[in-house]
Amino acid sequence: MTPTEIRRTPADPAQPPPANAGELLRRLYACRGQMESESDLGLAGLAPYQSLAGLDQAVALLAAAVRAGDVILVIGDYDADGATGSALAVLGLRALGATSVSYLVPSRFAFGYGLSPAVVDAAAALKPGLLMTVDNGIAGIAGVERANALGIPVLITDHHQAGDSLPAAAAIVNPNQPGCAFPSKHLAGVGVVFYCLVALRAQLRAEGWFSAARPEPNLAEFLDLVALGTVADVVTLDHNNRILVEQGLRRIRAGRCRPGIRALLQVAGRDPTRVTATDLGFQVGPRLNAAGRLTEMTLGVECLLCDEPATALDLASQLDGLNRERREIEVTMREQAETLVERITSRGDDLPPGLCLYGKGWHQGVSGIVAARIRERYHRPVIAFADADDGFLRGSARSVDGFNIRDAIDLVDRRRPGLIERFGGHAMAAGLTLRPESLVDFRLAFREAVREQLGDAPAVRELRSDGELPARLLNLETAEVLRLGGPWGKGFPEPLFDGEFEVIQARVLKERHLKLRLKPERGPMLDAIGFGLGERLALASGCVRLAYRLDVNEYRGERTPQLILEHLQSTT
């Protein structure tokens, strides 16, 4: 395991410790560049849609299709961002007056990722007047060529990095395409769809489209979908995304959310009135993603589209069952991946700065999670490969902060033309396809690309701490304030504290998780849980230094403060 170092955010030495939870929250915001005047996160603070390149052309296409009653076919992706974006596009366009909107989410197993010619052929059978991609398409050059040949216009909405060439689509809306001046480059795919709908509504309003018989919709009512997709896709929560997520969370807490989201929270055992971004990211998102990982995302999209609570709960229960199955597969694959890494070190070799792992029989829908787990443990970029049904290898790549893994794959592709069949993604996550006989050469080329940026050994894993939390603030009130003080996430991290505690009791739960009873230097005893830290049981005695988050534990109707451990080290 990579060595870990806890580093505190520098504090003003003249500033006394925070007196209460509210003052603590204000200081945490300030450390993250958030001014108090911005903290209401109202919709008025959103970046205007007018600066999105390609939006005028997109709106013209959509408005014409809506007025003519043409079939608009949404082509989504098979992850939570793609599912929420697809549901949003369908619901939003229908609310705006479109009479014929449907969707197609290609199976990752039958079609792979993105707008390929095969996907276009499958879509053409539905006789669409317009194809609208969601969370994909920016790399679909061949797919757009096929659509153009069939006479089907394509509107691409995406947020992934663009390559050197863009598809010849009728319109492209992507904040990361060259020449786009939109200030927030971190929109998720579902966020891009939301902006397209807002712009379309403005155009239709100007045309006099809405009336008493066709009322203008409040698109903010769909922000629960935007919040879920944004958090689940782990995009950076800049100010713009924080507004979208916070507004969505407020609607969920107020009971104004899709029945499918409410049902997913129910099967996850989460109270909608207290929902946080963490709940969306770690409880709802994985259950939604399970459909795309193990079968097809149609089940997930149908859950989000469903208006009937009982049916939504049935669909959510099916997704929960798939997620349990996914966990079992993940455990087996993760253990095998750990063995592969251990074999490298057991031979006396240094662990390379970038890891390419392949296991016979691995499930390609779960390989991305395994790559993330190995990345977290060894603090290295990781690509996990699995056999695809078409005879190729599909790789899921996950990166560490400061290393753009999509650009690294692109560098390998430029240096070794033909080695990679296709690829796409962004800085922290990417996907690629190889011929099996190319794996050895790709592994060497990838290691070299990583080594050029990170050196032979990645840096020590750093945990950035907000400092020591005074014992008087280790209470339920502070935990509640922090829990609802977000939304926290990538780029606006949930508060992490560190300090020394005396271990009163330590045990391992479910063979993996570390459960502690702790005594701070001054203050009442606390419970703590370290997920996946069971291997550190031997260190959990006497006085220890912990990096932790303060959270609320709910058990049998009782709410108590609890520490969620990120790291434990002995002080003796």
Side-chain angles (χ1 to χ4, degrees):
M1 182 179 291
T2 303
T4 299
E5 184 174 310
I6 301 172
R7 293 192 178 181
R8 291 183 176 178
T9 301
D12 183 354
Q15 197 173 43
N20 53 54
E23 184 178 329
L24 171 67
L25 188 64
R26 287 192 293 273
R27 292 190 189 182
L28 292 168
Y29 275 12
C31 287
R32 288 155 177 76
Q34 177 80 43
M35 298 296 102
E36 285 187 66
S37 60
E38 299 176 294
S39 61
D40 66 335
L41 297 177
L43 287 172
L46 283 175
Y49 63 79
Q50 289 84 353
S51 59
L52 268 168
L55 198 58
D56 289 345
Q57 298 95 315
V59 167
L61 286 169
L62 288 169
V66 169
R67 289 193 303 268
D70 290 342
V71 174
I72 303 173
L73 181 61
V74 176
I75 307 291
D77 187 22
Y78 42 68
D79 65 0
D81 185 17
T84 53
S86 297
L88 174 61
V90 171
L91 292 167
L93 288 169
R94 288 174 179 171
L96 289 167
T99 57
S100 185
V101 187
S102 56
Y103 73 93
L104 172 66
V105 182
S107 164
R108 76 162 72 217
F109 310 108
F111 292 102
Y113 173 78
L115 187 69
S116 65
V119 170
V120 172
D121 286 340
L126 302 175
K127 302 187 183 306
L130 175 66
L131 294 182
M132 176 182 178
T133 73
V134 171
D135 191 32
N136 75 95
I138 198 64
I141 293 175
V144 172
E145 287 179 355
R146 177 61 177 162
N148 290 340
L150 294 173
I152 307 172
V154 179
L155 161 60
I156 290 174
T157 74
D158 202 348
H159 71 120
H160 294 95
Q161 285 181 248
D164 294 334
S165 300
L166 296 179
I172 299 176
V173 183
N174 181 339
N176 292 300
Q177 66 176 307
C180 184
F182 191 72
S184 174
K185 301 299 184 183
H186 304 293
L187 278 180
V190 67
V192 177
V193 173
F194 181 74
Y195 267 87
C196 288
L197 293 174
V198 170
L200 175 60
R201 182 182 61 180
Q203 178 64 32
L204 293 174
R205 180 192 302 137
E207 295 175 359
W209 175 255
F210 302 113
S211 64
R214 188 191 293 124
E216 181 175 321
N218 177 12
L219 295 176
E221 293 301 322
F222 298 118
L223 283 170
D224 54 343
L225 292 167
V226 181
L228 173 55
T230 299
V231 172
D233 210 45
V234 201
V235 294
T236 297
L237 291 190
D238 59 10
H239 186 61
N240 206 67
N241 278 339
R242 292 188 71 236
I243 292 174
L244 294 172
V245 172
E246 176 62 18
Q247 291 295 322
L249 288 171
R250 290 179 187 180
R251 281 162 174 75
I252 297 173
R253 292 171 190 151
R256 302 200 311 272
C257 72
R258 299 295 306 166
I261 292 180
R262 188 180 302 112
L264 286 166
L265 286 166
Q266 182 177 337
V267 298
R270 291 299 185 270
D271 181 355
T273 65
R274 298 178 182 272
V275 68
T276 67
T278 300
D279 294 323
L280 296 183
F282 290 93
Q283 300 298 327
V284 179
R287 286 169 169 81
L288 189 57
N289 272 324
R293 293 190 184 282
L294 299 190
T295 57
E296 294 185 4
M297 186 47 92
T298 300
L299 177 64
V301 179
E302 286 299 310
C303 182
L304 298 175
L305 290 175
C306 182
D307 289 319
E308 215 290 310
T311 303
L313 183 58
D314 177 64
L315 294 171
S317 297
Q318 293 180 50
L319 290 169
D320 185 57
L322 287 174
N323 192 51
R324 294 176 190 276
E325 182 182 347
R326 186 272 303 169
R327 287 175 180 168
E328 294 174 359
I329 296 171
E330 178 196 335
V331 168
T332 300
M333 287 176 58
R334 188 180 66 242
E335 290 174 348
Q336 292 172 353
E338 292 278 7
T339 300
L340 292 175
V341 176
E342 289 168 2
R343 284 178 185 170
I344 297 173
T345 55
S346 66
R347 294 195 304 259
D349 298 333
D350 292 332
L351 206 59
L355 295 171
C356 287
L357 306 174
Y358 162 75
K360 189 70 175 176
W362 281 4
H363 196 297
Q364 60 175 297
V366 185
S367 57
I369 299 177
V370 172
R373 298 289 185 259
I374 300 300
R375 180 268 316 270
E376 291 163 6
R377 181 174 177 84
Y378 295 98
H379 197 58
R380 285 162 165 76
V382 178
I383 306 178
F385 286 94
D387 293 300
D389 294 338
D390 55 9
F392 288 92
L393 297 181
R394 296 264 163 75
S396 293
R398 298 295 183 269
S399 192
V400 295
D401 287 336
F403 181 79
N404 189 314
I405 202 159
R406 188 263 175 203
D407 285 354
I409 296 170
D410 180 57
L411 178 62
V412 173
D413 186 54
R414 285 186 278 113
R415 287 177 173 175
R416 297 290 303 275
L419 189 64
I420 302 172
E421 295 297 307
R422 54 187 177 272
F423 70 95
H426 45 77
M428 296 300 292
L432 69 157
T433 300
L434 299 178
R435 296 183 303 276
E437 61 269 21
S438 299
L439 179 59
V440 172
D441 289 342
F442 174 81
R443 179 183 285 123
L444 294 173
F446 177 70
R447 287 179 182 178
E448 185 58 32
V450 177
R451 183 176 289 111
E452 289 177 11
Q453 287 195 48
L454 298 182
D456 287 320
V460 171
R461 175 180 177 237
E462 289 185 7
L463 290 177
R464 302 296 299 188
S465 168
D466 290 292
E468 186 170 7
L469 196 59
R472 65 177 178 278
L473 294 183
L474 289 168
N475 55 42
L476 182 60
E477 178 191 0
T478 304
E480 295 275 21
V481 167
L482 294 178
R483 181 176 174 82
L484 297 177
W488 313 107
K490 181 177 170 59
F492 201 84
E494 187 175 356
L496 181 73
F497 307 100
D498 74 278
E500 294 188 0
F501 297 81
E502 181 185 356
V503 177
I504 304 300
Q505 185 183 64
R507 56 194 174 99
V508 174
L509 301 179
K510 298 181 180 179
E511 301 181 351
R512 293 192 61 234
H513 312 307
L514 185 62
K515 179 73 172 179
L516 302 179
R517 185 72 171 162
L518 301 169
K519 180 73 170 67
E521 185 177 349
R522 291 181 294 273
M525 286 194 291
L526 292 160
D527 287 327
I529 182 77
F531 296 105
L533 294 182
E535 62 188 24
R536 294 194 164 242
L537 178 64
L539 299 175
S541 63
C543 187
V544 295
R545 186 184 182 195
L546 305 176
Y548 64 89
R549 307 183 193 282
L550 181 62
D551 200 8
V552 179
N553 182 42
E554 301 183 41
Y555 184 67
R556 294 182 177 176
E558 184 179 3
R559 298 171 60 80
T560 57
Q562 177 179 247
L563 307 188
I564 307 296
L565 305 184
E566 290 289 323
H567 180 65
L568 176 150
Q569 61 190 45
S570 175
T571 60
T572 57

